[in-house]
PDB file of all heavy atoms in Angstrom:
ATOM      1  N   SER A1681     -36.860  45.547 -46.978  1.00  0.00           N
ATOM      2  CA  SER A1681     -36.250  45.646 -45.686  1.00  0.00           C
ATOM      3  C   SER A1681     -34.919  46.325 -45.722  1.00  0.00           C
ATOM      4  O   SER A1681     -34.402  46.575 -46.753  1.00  0.00           O
ATOM      5  CB  SER A1681     -36.077  44.285 -45.065  1.00  0.00           C
ATOM      6  OG  SER A1681     -35.125  43.549 -45.731  1.00  0.00           O
ATOM      7  N   ILE A1682     -34.425  46.728 -44.511  1.00  0.00           N
ATOM      8  CA  ILE A1682     -33.138  47.436 -44.370  1.00  0.00           C
ATOM      9  C   ILE A1682     -32.057  46.506 -44.978  1.00  0.00           C
ATOM     10  O   ILE A1682     -31.064  47.018 -45.651  1.00  0.00           O
ATOM     11  CB  ILE A1682     -32.740  47.727 -42.961  1.00  0.00           C
ATOM     12  CG1 ILE A1682     -33.737  48.794 -42.408  1.00  0.00           C
ATOM     13  CG2 ILE A1682     -31.344  48.193 -42.842  1.00  0.00           C
ATOM     14  CD1 ILE A1682     -33.576  49.149 -40.979  1.00  0.00           C
ATOM     15  N   GLU A1683     -32.204  45.246 -44.812  1.00  0.00           N
ATOM     16  CA  GLU A1683     -31.087  44.295 -45.288  1.00  0.00           C
ATOM     17  C   GLU A1683     -31.139  44.057 -46.763  1.00  0.00           C
ATOM     18  O   GLU A1683     -30.180  43.722 -47.391  1.00  0.00           O
ATOM     19  CB  GLU A1683     -31.393  42.863 -44.666  1.00  0.00           C
ATOM     20  CG  GLU A1683     -31.037  42.852 -43.047  1.00  0.00           C
ATOM     21  CD  GLU A1683     -32.337  43.320 -42.317  1.00  0.00           C
ATOM     22  OE1 GLU A1683     -33.403  43.643 -42.969  1.00  0.00           O
ATOM     23  OE2 GLU A1683     -32.311  43.172 -41.047  1.00  0.00           O
ATOM     24  N   ALA A1684     -32.363  44.254 -47.431  1.00  0.00           N
ATOM     25  CA  ALA A1684     -32.482  43.892 -48.859  1.00  0.00           C
ATOM     26  C   ALA A1684     -32.787  45.044 -49.709  1.00  0.00           C
ATOM     27  O   ALA A1684     -32.719  44.826 -50.948  1.00  0.00           O
ATOM     28  CB  ALA A1684     -33.545  42.918 -48.969  1.00  0.00           C
ATOM     29  N   VAL A1685     -33.078  46.229 -49.275  1.00  0.00           N
ATOM     30  CA  VAL A1685     -33.548  47.305 -50.158  1.00  0.00           C
ATOM     31  C   VAL A1685     -32.579  47.677 -51.211  1.00  0.00           C
ATOM     32  O   VAL A1685     -32.910  47.921 -52.333  1.00  0.00           O
ATOM     33  CB  VAL A1685     -34.000  48.525 -49.385  1.00  0.00           C
ATOM     34  CG1 VAL A1685     -32.893  49.194 -48.709  1.00  0.00           C
ATOM     35  CG2 VAL A1685     -34.824  49.496 -50.226  1.00  0.00           C
ATOM     36  N   SER A1686     -31.301  47.666 -50.911  1.00  0.00           N
ATOM     37  CA  SER A1686     -30.256  48.175 -51.875  1.00  0.00           C
ATOM     38  C   SER A1686     -30.181  47.115 -53.042  1.00  0.00           C
ATOM     39  O   SER A1686     -29.938  47.456 -54.190  1.00  0.00           O
ATOM     40  CB  SER A1686     -28.929  48.223 -51.211  1.00  0.00           C
ATOM     41  OG  SER A1686     -28.544  47.083 -50.565  1.00  0.00           O
ATOM     42  N   GLN A1687     -30.396  45.819 -52.702  1.00  0.00           N
ATOM     43  CA  GLN A1687     -30.430  44.871 -53.855  1.00  0.00           C
ATOM     44  C   GLN A1687     -31.717  44.961 -54.679  1.00  0.00           C
ATOM     45  O   GLN A1687     -31.625  44.713 -55.906  1.00  0.00           O
ATOM     46  CB  GLN A1687     -30.283  43.431 -53.219  1.00  0.00           C
ATOM     47  CG  GLN A1687     -29.011  43.119 -52.501  1.00  0.00           C
ATOM     48  CD  GLN A1687     -27.760  43.186 -53.378  1.00  0.00           C
ATOM     49  OE1 GLN A1687     -27.883  43.046 -54.574  1.00  0.00           O
ATOM     50  NE2 GLN A1687     -26.653  43.461 -52.737  1.00  0.00           N
ATOM     51  N   THR A1688     -32.713  45.356 -54.014  1.00  0.00           N
ATOM     52  CA  THR A1688     -34.055  45.398 -54.733  1.00  0.00           C
ATOM     53  C   THR A1688     -33.961  46.647 -55.849  1.00  0.00           C
ATOM     54  O   THR A1688     -34.367  46.512 -56.910  1.00  0.00           O
ATOM     55  CB  THR A1688     -35.113  45.716 -53.758  1.00  0.00           C
ATOM     56  OG1 THR A1688     -35.361  44.623 -52.924  1.00  0.00           O
ATOM     57  CG2 THR A1688     -36.487  45.872 -54.589  1.00  0.00           C
ATOM     58  N   CYS A1689     -33.339  47.691 -55.327  1.00  0.00           N
ATOM     59  CA  CYS A1689     -33.160  48.865 -56.284  1.00  0.00           C
ATOM     60  C   CYS A1689     -32.162  48.562 -57.312  1.00  0.00           C
ATOM     61  O   CYS A1689     -32.269  48.997 -58.518  1.00  0.00           O
ATOM     62  CB  CYS A1689     -32.702  50.101 -55.379  1.00  0.00           C
ATOM     63  SG  CYS A1689     -33.874  50.653 -54.255  1.00  0.00           S
ATOM     64  N   ALA A1690     -31.155  47.700 -56.965  1.00  0.00           N
ATOM     65  CA  ALA A1690     -30.083  47.482 -57.883  1.00  0.00           C
ATOM     66  C   ALA A1690     -30.600  46.585 -59.061  1.00  0.00           C
ATOM     67  O   ALA A1690     -29.993  46.526 -60.194  1.00  0.00           O
ATOM     68  CB  ALA A1690     -28.855  46.748 -57.174  1.00  0.00           C
ATOM     69  N   ALA A1691     -31.746  45.870 -58.859  1.00  0.00           N
ATOM     70  CA  ALA A1691     -32.298  44.880 -59.888  1.00  0.00           C
ATOM     71  C   ALA A1691     -32.608  45.689 -61.105  1.00  0.00           C
ATOM     72  O   ALA A1691     -32.462  45.258 -62.278  1.00  0.00           O
ATOM     73  CB  ALA A1691     -33.481  44.207 -59.266  1.00  0.00           C
ATOM     74  N   CYS A1692     -32.997  46.940 -61.004  1.00  0.00           N
ATOM     75  CA  CYS A1692     -33.250  47.873 -62.105  1.00  0.00           C
ATOM     76  C   CYS A1692     -32.104  48.739 -62.467  1.00  0.00           C
ATOM     77  O   CYS A1692     -31.721  48.860 -63.556  1.00  0.00           O
ATOM     78  CB  CYS A1692     -34.581  48.649 -61.861  1.00  0.00           C
ATOM     79  SG  CYS A1692     -36.096  47.657 -61.964  1.00  0.00           S
ATOM     80  N   HIS A1693     -31.656  49.439 -61.459  1.00  0.00           N
ATOM     81  CA  HIS A1693     -30.641  50.459 -61.667  1.00  0.00           C
ATOM     82  C   HIS A1693     -29.236  49.846 -61.920  1.00  0.00           C
ATOM     83  O   HIS A1693     -28.271  50.603 -62.366  1.00  0.00           O
ATOM     84  CB  HIS A1693     -30.514  51.445 -60.511  1.00  0.00           C
ATOM     85  CG  HIS A1693     -31.710  52.380 -60.365  1.00  0.00           C
ATOM     86  ND1 HIS A1693     -31.890  53.517 -61.091  1.00  0.00           N
ATOM     87  CD2 HIS A1693     -32.864  52.178 -59.705  1.00  0.00           C
ATOM     88  CE1 HIS A1693     -33.003  54.064 -60.755  1.00  0.00           C
ATOM     89  NE2 HIS A1693     -33.690  53.233 -59.945  1.00  0.00           N
ATOM     90  N   GLY A1694     -29.086  48.586 -61.784  1.00  0.00           N
ATOM     91  CA  GLY A1694     -27.786  47.918 -62.090  1.00  0.00           C
ATOM     92  C   GLY A1694     -27.957  47.047 -63.429  1.00  0.00           C
ATOM     93  O   GLY A1694     -26.952  46.452 -63.780  1.00  0.00           O
ATOM     94  N   ALA A1695     -29.246  47.112 -63.938  1.00  0.00           N
ATOM     95  CA  ALA A1695     -29.498  46.329 -65.198  1.00  0.00           C
ATOM     96  C   ALA A1695     -29.011  47.045 -66.488  1.00  0.00           C
ATOM     97  O   ALA A1695     -29.447  48.135 -66.708  1.00  0.00           O
ATOM     98  CB  ALA A1695     -31.014  45.951 -65.307  1.00  0.00           C
ATOM     99  N   GLU A1696     -28.002  46.536 -67.100  1.00  0.00           N
ATOM    100  CA  GLU A1696     -27.418  47.246 -68.197  1.00  0.00           C
ATOM    101  C   GLU A1696     -28.472  47.525 -69.323  1.00  0.00           C
ATOM    102  O   GLU A1696     -28.418  48.581 -69.913  1.00  0.00           O
ATOM    103  CB  GLU A1696     -26.252  46.451 -68.806  1.00  0.00           C
ATOM    104  CG  GLU A1696     -25.508  47.136 -69.890  1.00  0.00           C
ATOM    105  CD  GLU A1696     -24.304  46.286 -70.355  1.00  0.00           C
ATOM    106  OE1 GLU A1696     -23.895  45.293 -69.608  1.00  0.00           O
ATOM    107  OE2 GLU A1696     -23.654  46.740 -71.324  1.00  0.00           O
ATOM    108  N   ARG A1697     -29.407  46.539 -69.533  1.00  0.00           N
ATOM    109  CA  ARG A1697     -30.408  46.806 -70.573  1.00  0.00           C
ATOM    110  C   ARG A1697     -31.236  47.986 -70.270  1.00  0.00           C
ATOM    111  O   ARG A1697     -31.531  48.907 -71.152  1.00  0.00           O
ATOM    112  CB  ARG A1697     -31.305  45.585 -70.575  1.00  0.00           C
ATOM    113  CG  ARG A1697     -32.533  45.690 -71.640  1.00  0.00           C
ATOM    114  CD  ARG A1697     -33.246  44.437 -71.491  1.00  0.00           C
ATOM    115  NE  ARG A1697     -33.956  44.289 -70.269  1.00  0.00           N
ATOM    116  CZ  ARG A1697     -35.162  44.844 -69.887  1.00  0.00           C
ATOM    117  NH1 ARG A1697     -35.777  45.649 -70.814  1.00  0.00           N
ATOM    118  NH2 ARG A1697     -35.672  44.647 -68.711  1.00  0.00           N
ATOM    119  N   LEU A1698     -31.627  48.213 -68.941  1.00  0.00           N
ATOM    120  CA  LEU A1698     -32.520  49.306 -68.640  1.00  0.00           C
ATOM    121  C   LEU A1698     -31.752  50.660 -68.718  1.00  0.00           C
ATOM    122  O   LEU A1698     -32.298  51.670 -68.964  1.00  0.00           O
ATOM    123  CB  LEU A1698     -33.146  49.139 -67.237  1.00  0.00           C
ATOM    124  CG  LEU A1698     -34.049  47.970 -67.122  1.00  0.00           C
ATOM    125  CD1 LEU A1698     -34.663  47.885 -65.767  1.00  0.00           C
ATOM    126  CD2 LEU A1698     -35.249  48.040 -68.207  1.00  0.00           C
TER     127      LEU A1698
END
Side-chain angles (χ1 to χ4, degrees):
S1681 67
I1682 294 176
E1683 294 85 354
V1685 67
S1686 56
Q1687 296 295 338
T1688 298
C1689 297
C1692 290
H1693 289 275
E1696 187 175 348
R1697 177 182 64 87
L1698 297 180

